[in-house]
Every structure is written in C-alpha cells, then in structure tokens.
Amino acid sequence: MSAPALRPAGEPLPTEFFARSVHEVAPALIGCELRVGATGGVIVETEAYDAGDPACHAYIGPTTRNEVLFGPPGRAYVYLSYGIHSLLNAVAEPEGSAAAVLIRALEPTEGIELMRRRRGRDRDEELCSGPGKLTEALGVGLELNGTALTEAPFELRARAWSGIEVVCGERIGITKAVEQPWRHCAAGNRFVSRPWPRDLLAA
DNA sequence: GCCAGGATCGTCT
DNA sequence: GACGATCCTGGCG
C-alpha cells in the first residue's frame, strides 16, 4: 500500500485518504481543516486506535455500538463517553479492517462566537481543547454516527499549514495498551488537550 | 496551581 | 451491575 501524494492545502480529503494504515492517517490529519456547519478549526491533536489494540472499541469484535468501525473508511464514528460526552472519530483502513482516529483537539478558526455560546466559555483555548469539548463546540452528536466525513455537514480539507511539526507520545485517558505512542500533536500548539510529556518523540 | 471526586447513561457481561 | 478514548468544580496550599 503506497501513501497518497501530498495534496495542495485546502483541497477536500477524498475517501481514499482514509483507506490506509490508521497509523499513517492519524499524523496526516494534524494540520487539516475540519468544519461542521458554520464552525470549524485546524486539527492539532489525534489518537490512533487499530483493530489489534485492546483499547480500541473494535477489539472485542463487531457489536451494534461499534459496527461503523467495520464499515468503509472516511465515515464518522461517534459514541457517548461517560454518559455525557460525544467523541468524534474518523474511520480508517479499508472496509473490514476496523480502526479509527480519535479527533482530540482543534485550533478554532470558524464560527468562534457560536462555539463560545455552545461551550459557555470565552477563551479560545477552552473551546475545542479536548475530545468532548470539540464535539460540543461543533455541534456533533450521536445522530452523525456513520455519516461520511466527505459530505455535509462535515467538511475536511487538506493540511492548511505548511512546515507543521508533528510529535507523538502515549495516549490519554485509557487503561489498556497505554504504552503505545499513538497520540499525535502539532508541536508547540497551545490548543492541544494537555501539554505532552517530556518523553514525546519527534515523529 | 494541583488533585480528588462527582455527573450520567449506553453498552456489554 | 460495572465500566468507561471526559469535563468541571471545589477544596487546599
């Protein structure tokens, strides 16, 4: 499987973008622009979950909850966490291979006033700096589970920033396979969900 | 500034 | 009946 060539900034991401290893898709999404309706921002933090990963919802096999993970790539997998927060993932890898990228943080760029109202916060750093926060700011709920990220209300465009440095480290908030360095961040970005540990490796 | 604890509910055992 | 891929608040220093 060969990696797609770099795309011009601002070009919509095609479905094939997601039809490769989740460990390629996760860092490639850093710097891409995600919009949902009138709101949006630049992706600055992601985490990869592959099918052989005990922390991945697909690890236990297909269920009614995780069936979207086993479907075609480029779809949104949205689920409820802690009974309160909707978390947004991008399904990756060819159909039948269940893997996904958790979108953990955005740098807000579009519809900031609307996001402030939805979040009840004013500071830009508090709008989308966490997986539960960004779904609230963007208005993403369970009803979008299974919809294509290449179609409305989603809009996903190629890397908006040039010369971005992506760093990786251990994932956050999980109890299984915590040692896997599958969290990816835009280096030095202040909109990530939390500062990364010292031992982060340059990727 | 840091940390402990509570909220809340769908999914799986 | 237990458990989260989380967030916010309040208490303490």
Side-chain angles (χ1 to χ4, degrees), chain A residues 22-23 49-56 58-59 93 97-99 171 177 180 182:
Chain A
V22 69
H23 299 298
Y49 290 84
D50 75 35
D53 175 4
C56 181
Y59 185 72
E93 307 198 352
S97 176
R171 293 175 295 182
Q180 301 294 358
W182 292 341

Side-chain angles (χ1 to χ4, degrees), chain A residues 61-79:
Chain A
T63 66
T64 51
R65 178 202 205 189
N66 66 21
E67 61 183 354
V68 172
L69 289 173
F70 292 82
R75 300 272 181 87
Y77 169 51
V78 185
Y79 74 95

Side-chain angles (χ1 to χ4, degrees), chain A residues 34-48:
Chain A
L34 171 66
R35 294 188 58 160
V36 183
T39 56
V42 176
I43 298 172
V44 295
E45 184 176 345
T46 62
E47 281 180 0

Side-chain angles (χ1 to χ4, degrees), chain A residues 1-5 20 24:
Chain A
M1 190 187 311
S2 62
R20 51 180 166 152
E24 294 176 37

Side-chain angles (χ1 to χ4, degrees), chain A residues 112 115-123 126-127:
Chain A
I112 289 178
M115 292 195 282
R116 283 178 178 150
R117 285 200 297 276
R118 285 172 172 166
R119 290 275 300 129
R121 313 255 150 186
D122 284 335
R123 293 180 60 241
E126 295 181 280
L127 297 180

Side-chain angles (χ1 to χ4, degrees), chain A residues 137-155:
Chain A
L138 297 174
V140 171
L142 298 181
E143 71 279 2
L144 292 178
N145 185 37
T147 60
L149 291 166
T150 52
E151 297 170 13
F154 292 109
E155 210 179 314

Side-chain angles (χ1 to χ4, degrees), chain A residues 15-191:
Chain A
T15 301
E16 308 86 67
F17 176 90
F18 301 93
R20 51 180 166 152
S21 166
V22 69
H23 299 298
E24 294 176 37
V25 176
L29 279 173
I30 300 294
C32 292
E33 184 184 358
L34 171 66
R35 294 188 58 160
V36 183
T39 56
V42 176
I43 298 172
V44 295
E45 184 176 345
T46 62
E47 281 180 0
Y49 290 84
D50 75 35
D53 175 4
C56 181
H57 288 176
Y59 185 72
I60 58 175
T63 66
T64 51
R65 178 202 205 189
N66 66 21
E67 61 183 354
V68 172
L69 289 173
F70 292 82
R75 300 272 181 87
Y77 169 51
V78 185
Y79 74 95
L80 194 64
S81 177
Y82 290 87
I84 303 172
H85 306 287
S86 300
L87 269 54
L88 173 63
N89 300 251
V91 176
E93 307 198 352
E95 184 162 2
S97 176
V101 179
L102 171 66
I103 312 294
R104 286 192 57 90
L106 302 181
E107 176 167 341
T109 56
E110 299 288 329
I112 289 178
E113 278 308 318
L114 176 55
M115 292 195 282
R116 283 178 178 150
R117 285 200 297 276
R118 285 172 172 166
R119 290 275 300 129
R121 313 255 150 186
D122 284 335
R123 293 180 60 241
D124 288 359
E125 291 88 343
E126 295 181 280
L127 297 180
C128 299
S129 56
K133 298 178 189 178
L134 73 88
T135 55
E136 184 178 26
L138 297 174
V140 171
L142 298 181
E143 71 279 2
L144 292 178
N145 185 37
T147 60
L149 291 166
T150 52
E151 297 170 13
F154 292 109
E155 210 179 314
L156 197 47
R157 295 182 175 275
R159 187 163 291 186
W161 299 340
S162 58
I164 224 173
E165 186 190 354
V166 180
V167 293
C168 66
E170 294 180 352
R171 293 175 295 182
I172 293 171
I174 55 175
T175 57
K176 303 165 190 165
V178 293
E179 70 284 359
Q180 301 294 358
W182 292 341
R183 175 187 177 219
H184 303 274
C185 300
N189 188 281
R190 74 179 200 275
F191 296 93

